[in-house]
Amino acid sequence: MSKFITFEGVDGAGKSTHLAWFAEALRQRGLDVVVTREPGGTPLGEQLREILLHQPMSIGTETLLMFAARLEHVEQVIKPALGAGKWVISDRFSDASFAYQGGGRGMDWDKLRQLEQWVHPDLQPDLTLFFDVPVEVARKRLRMSDRAGTNNTSLDRFEQEQSDFFERVRAGYHKRVQQNPHRYVVIDAAQSLETVKDKLQEVISAI
Ligand code: TMP
């Protein structure tokens, strides 16, 4: 039986490192796993990602491009893979639009709901792992990462935002979790890598 699992969190929460390990652990159990990401996941989506991460634009344009890339991703990758019985793990999905465009940038929550309804009316993740971490911890990790270490200009448009932006993003995620708690596992990502891995192992056993 296929499952659609998403990984979410503010930049620097460490979700991408854990995603690779999680996918491998599922494969070792004999599952056919597709790993993908947003924005991106299709050739067009990856082009939109480049634009989204590096070109200045209005909040509305940013929101619409995120959902345009998502529509392509849902139709070209996610639904076909689930239809073929595969497990799909996506590094971000619509929760990120609510958190970043809604929480971070102040885009109207109802407009985001309308876009969500339009783009994937009959699809939601079966499970979302939300890597929750205090913003100052995430900022520190981002600064210490290789990409950010030498020169701040290698950070993308989102990563260059200030702490107050990420506080609003984090609050946006919390609001989403509160609105639909049964879909999420909230992971305290400030803990050590080993402790987070143990938690992921528990999640895998449960599903
Ligand atoms: P990544 O660094 O996790 O790959 O994500 C790229 C950036 O895109 C990240 O800073 C969050 C942002 N983003 C949004 O603002 N809205 C969205 O809907 C998605 C999917 C990502």
Side-chain angles (χ1 to χ4, degrees), residues 73-116:
H73 192 212
V74 166
E75 291 186 351
Q76 304 293 333
V77 176
I78 300 174
K79 283 189 173 172
L82 293 173
K86 297 178 185 178
W87 285 44
V88 177
I89 305 180
S90 186
D91 192 339
R92 302 195 186 280
F93 193 59
S94 286
D95 289 321
S97 296
F98 284 88
Y100 280 79
Q101 281 65 55
R105 304 251 197 253
M107 169 59 67
D108 181 63
W109 206 260
D110 285 335
K111 278 209 178 94
L112 294 167
R113 277 193 199 284
Q114 284 167 20
L115 287 168
E116 182 185 40

Side-chain angles (χ1 to χ4, degrees), residues 7-11 15-16 37-40 49 52-53 62-63 66-67 70 91-101 105 147 156-159 165-166 169 173:
F7 277 50
E8 297 282 357
V10 299
D11 294 85
K15 67 181 167 45
S16 305
R37 69 171 179 180
E38 289 204 353
R49 178 186 176 90
L52 278 159
L53 296 193
E62 183 179 288
T63 304
M66 289 290 179
F67 275 97
R70 181 161 302 130
D91 192 339
R92 302 195 186 280
F93 193 59
S94 286
D95 289 321
S97 296
F98 284 88
Y100 280 79
Q101 281 65 55
R105 304 251 197 253
R147 226 149 56 78
D156 67 42
R157 235 164 36 83
F158 295 97
E159 292 166 337
F165 173 82
F166 289 102
V169 170
Y173 274 125

Side-chain angles (χ1 to χ4, degrees), residues 103-154:
R105 304 251 197 253
M107 169 59 67
D108 181 63
W109 206 260
D110 285 335
K111 278 209 178 94
L112 294 167
R113 277 193 199 284
Q114 284 167 20
L115 287 168
E116 182 185 40
Q117 269 304 304
W118 178 25
V119 168
H120 53 96
D122 49 3
L123 176 76
Q124 280 293 346
D126 296 298
L127 172 69
T128 296
L129 303 184
F130 168 46
F131 290 78
D132 194 26
V133 71
V135 167
E136 62 273 23
V137 175
R139 302 304 292 156
K140 205 165 155 195
R141 284 186 186 160
L142 209 56
R143 277 199 299 273
M144 280 164 43
S145 72
D146 285 342
R147 226 149 56 78
T150 44
N151 151 10
N152 251 12
T153 55
S154 63

